[in-house]
Amino acid sequence: MTVNEKNDLFYVCALIEFISRKTMNKRGDIVQSIGEKGLRKQLKDAGVNHCLSFEQVSDEIIEVYGIKNGDFDTISDCKYSIPSYLDIGKLYSIMIMDCAKPGDEVQEMMQIFQSFISDEISDFSTDLYYQNPDYLEWSYREGYLLE
Protein backbone atom coordinates (compact mmCIF):
# COMPACT_ATOMS: atom_id res chain seq x y z
CA MET A 1 0.00 0.00 0.00
CA THR A 2 1.11 3.52 -0.70
CA VAL A 3 1.32 6.11 2.07
CA ASN A 4 -1.86 7.75 0.74
CA GLU A 5 -3.71 4.41 0.71
CA LYS A 6 -2.64 3.75 4.31
CA ASN A 7 -3.85 7.22 5.33
CA ASP A 8 -7.16 6.64 3.54
CA LEU A 9 -7.61 3.29 5.29
CA PHE A 10 -6.90 4.92 8.66
CA TYR A 11 -9.40 7.68 7.88
CA VAL A 12 -12.18 5.25 6.93
CA CYS A 13 -11.55 3.09 10.02
CA ALA A 14 -11.73 6.17 12.24
CA LEU A 15 -14.89 7.25 10.43
CA ILE A 16 -16.50 3.86 11.09
CA GLU A 17 -15.62 4.19 14.77
CA PHE A 18 -17.01 7.74 14.83
CA ILE A 19 -20.29 6.70 13.18
CA SER A 20 -20.60 3.70 15.50
CA ARG A 21 -20.28 5.88 18.58
CA LYS A 22 -22.60 8.54 17.18
CA THR A 23 -25.36 6.06 16.30
CA MET A 24 -24.62 3.57 19.13
CA ASN A 25 -24.22 0.65 16.74
CA LYS A 26 -21.72 -2.17 16.62
CA ARG A 27 -18.88 -1.50 14.23
CA GLY A 28 -19.83 -4.59 12.24
CA ASP A 29 -23.35 -3.24 11.75
CA ILE A 30 -21.92 -0.04 10.28
CA VAL A 31 -19.68 -1.81 7.74
CA GLN A 32 -22.54 -4.14 6.87
CA SER A 33 -24.84 -1.15 6.26
CA ILE A 34 -22.26 0.60 4.10
CA GLY A 35 -21.32 -2.60 2.27
CA GLU A 36 -18.26 -3.46 0.24
CA LYS A 37 -19.12 -1.10 -2.61
CA GLY A 38 -19.74 1.75 -0.16
CA LEU A 39 -16.50 1.10 1.70
CA ARG A 40 -14.59 1.18 -1.58
CA LYS A 41 -16.26 4.52 -2.33
CA GLN A 42 -15.32 5.86 1.11
CA LEU A 43 -11.70 4.83 0.56
CA LYS A 44 -11.73 6.52 -2.85
CA ASP A 45 -13.31 9.69 -1.41
CA ALA A 46 -11.10 9.78 1.70
CA GLY A 47 -8.56 12.16 0.16
CA VAL A 48 -11.27 14.79 -0.28
CA ASN A 49 -13.21 13.94 2.88
CA HIS A 50 -10.08 14.51 5.01
CA CYS A 51 -10.77 18.22 4.46
CA LEU A 52 -14.26 17.96 5.95
CA SER A 53 -15.30 17.44 9.55
CA PHE A 54 -16.05 13.93 10.77
CA GLU A 55 -19.48 15.24 11.78
CA GLN A 56 -20.33 16.33 8.24
CA VAL A 57 -19.05 13.18 6.55
CA SER A 58 -20.71 10.91 9.13
CA ASP A 59 -24.05 12.72 8.74
CA GLU A 60 -23.90 12.17 4.98
CA ILE A 61 -23.05 8.48 5.36
CA ILE A 62 -25.76 7.95 7.97
CA GLU A 63 -28.31 9.50 5.62
CA VAL A 64 -27.16 7.82 2.39
CA TYR A 65 -26.97 4.34 3.93
CA GLY A 66 -30.01 4.72 6.18
CA ILE A 67 -28.13 3.95 9.38
CA LYS A 68 -30.53 4.01 12.32
CA ASN A 69 -29.65 4.65 15.95
CA GLY A 70 -28.97 1.54 17.97
CA ASP A 71 -28.41 0.73 21.62
CA PHE A 72 -24.80 -0.45 21.64
CA ASP A 73 -23.55 2.20 24.08
CA THR A 74 -19.99 1.45 25.15
CA ILE A 75 -19.17 4.93 26.43
CA SER A 76 -21.77 6.18 28.94
CA ASP A 77 -20.92 3.75 31.75
CA CYS A 78 -17.14 4.03 31.44
CA LYS A 79 -15.44 5.23 34.59
CA TYR A 80 -12.13 6.01 32.92
CA SER A 81 -11.07 7.91 29.86
CA ILE A 82 -11.74 6.17 26.58
CA PRO A 83 -9.51 6.16 23.53
CA SER A 84 -10.44 8.59 20.79
CA TYR A 85 -12.07 7.41 17.58
CA LEU A 86 -8.77 8.25 15.89
CA ASP A 87 -6.86 5.95 18.28
CA ILE A 88 -9.27 3.11 17.57
CA GLY A 89 -9.22 3.84 13.83
CA LYS A 90 -5.43 3.55 13.88
CA LEU A 91 -5.64 0.21 15.70
CA TYR A 92 -8.06 -1.18 13.12
CA SER A 93 -6.04 0.11 10.17
CA ILE A 94 -2.90 -1.59 11.52
CA MET A 95 -4.76 -4.87 11.94
CA ILE A 96 -6.20 -4.66 8.43
CA MET A 97 -2.83 -3.90 6.85
CA ASP A 98 -1.21 -6.76 8.75
CA CYS A 99 -3.93 -9.31 7.98
CA ALA A 100 -5.03 -8.45 4.44
CA LYS A 101 -3.46 -9.78 1.30
CA PRO A 102 -2.65 -6.94 -1.12
CA GLY A 103 -5.88 -5.86 -2.80
CA ASP A 104 -8.10 -7.55 -0.18
CA GLU A 105 -8.13 -4.71 2.34
CA VAL A 106 -11.86 -3.98 2.01
CA GLN A 107 -12.84 -7.62 2.53
CA GLU A 108 -10.49 -7.86 5.52
CA MET A 109 -11.90 -4.61 6.91
CA MET A 110 -15.41 -6.07 6.76
CA GLN A 111 -14.28 -9.32 8.38
CA ILE A 112 -12.39 -7.65 11.22
CA PHE A 113 -15.16 -5.15 12.01
CA GLN A 114 -17.76 -7.95 11.99
CA SER A 115 -15.68 -10.34 14.10
CA PHE A 116 -15.70 -10.94 17.85
CA ILE A 117 -12.54 -8.86 18.26
CA SER A 118 -14.37 -5.67 17.26
CA ASP A 119 -16.94 -6.05 20.05
CA GLU A 120 -14.13 -6.86 22.48
CA ILE A 121 -12.14 -3.76 21.47
CA SER A 122 -15.33 -1.68 21.79
CA ASP A 123 -15.80 -2.73 25.42
CA PHE A 124 -14.22 0.37 26.92
CA SER A 125 -14.77 -0.89 30.45
CA THR A 126 -11.78 -3.18 29.84
CA ASP A 127 -8.22 -2.34 28.85
CA LEU A 128 -8.20 -4.56 25.77
CA TYR A 129 -7.79 -1.65 23.37
CA TYR A 130 -4.50 -0.79 25.10
CA GLN A 131 -3.05 -4.24 24.46
CA ASN A 132 -0.29 -4.79 21.96
CA PRO A 133 -1.73 -4.70 18.41
CA ASP A 134 0.02 -8.03 17.71
CA TYR A 135 -1.95 -9.64 20.54
CA LEU A 136 -5.22 -8.32 19.12
CA GLU A 137 -4.28 -9.38 15.60
CA TRP A 138 -3.38 -12.93 16.62
CA SER A 139 -6.45 -13.24 18.81
CA TYR A 140 -8.52 -12.23 15.77
CA ARG A 141 -6.71 -14.76 13.58
CA GLU A 142 -7.24 -17.53 16.14
CA GLY A 143 -10.88 -16.62 16.74
CA TYR A 144 -10.66 -16.03 20.50
CA LEU A 145 -8.76 -13.91 23.01
CA LEU A 146 -5.38 -15.53 23.59
CA GLU A 147 -4.09 -15.98 27.12
Side-chain angles (χ1 to χ4, degrees), residues 8-32 34-35 38-39 42-43 54 57-58 61-62 67 85-86 88-89 92 96 106 109-110 112-114 118 122:
D8 293 345
L9 180 63
F10 162 58
Y11 175 82
V12 171
C13 289
L15 185 60
I16 291 165
E17 180 67 20
F18 186 90
I19 293 168
S20 297
R21 292 179 186 193
K22 184 174 186 170
T23 63
M24 292 194 302
N25 281 292
K26 292 185 177 188
R27 285 71 185 148
D29 293 340
I30 299 301
V31 297
Q32 191 171 16
I34 297 171
L39 290 171
Q42 294 309 312
L43 285 167
F54 272 87
V57 176
S58 69
I61 291 173
I62 290 166
I67 299 171
Y85 60 91
L86 296 172
I88 298 296
Y92 279 114
I96 293 164
V106 173
M109 179 190 306
M110 293 186 76
I112 289 174
F113 275 111
Q114 293 181 82
S118 183
S122 298

Side-chain angles (χ1 to χ4, degrees), residues 75-94:
I75 297 174
S76 296
D77 292 336
C78 290
K79 296 178 182 176
Y80 307 105
S81 63
I82 59 169
S84 74
Y85 60 91
L86 296 172
D87 292 334
I88 298 296
K90 187 66 170 174
L91 175 65
Y92 279 114
S93 65
I94 290 168

Side-chain angles (χ1 to χ4, degrees), residues 93-101 104 108 112 136-138 140-141:
S93 65
I94 290 168
M95 286 180 62
I96 293 164
M97 287 185 286
D98 287 350
C99 293
K101 294 177 184 166
D104 290 343
E108 194 67 44
I112 289 174
L136 297 173
E137 175 187 329
W138 282 102
Y140 160 70
R141 289 177 189 256

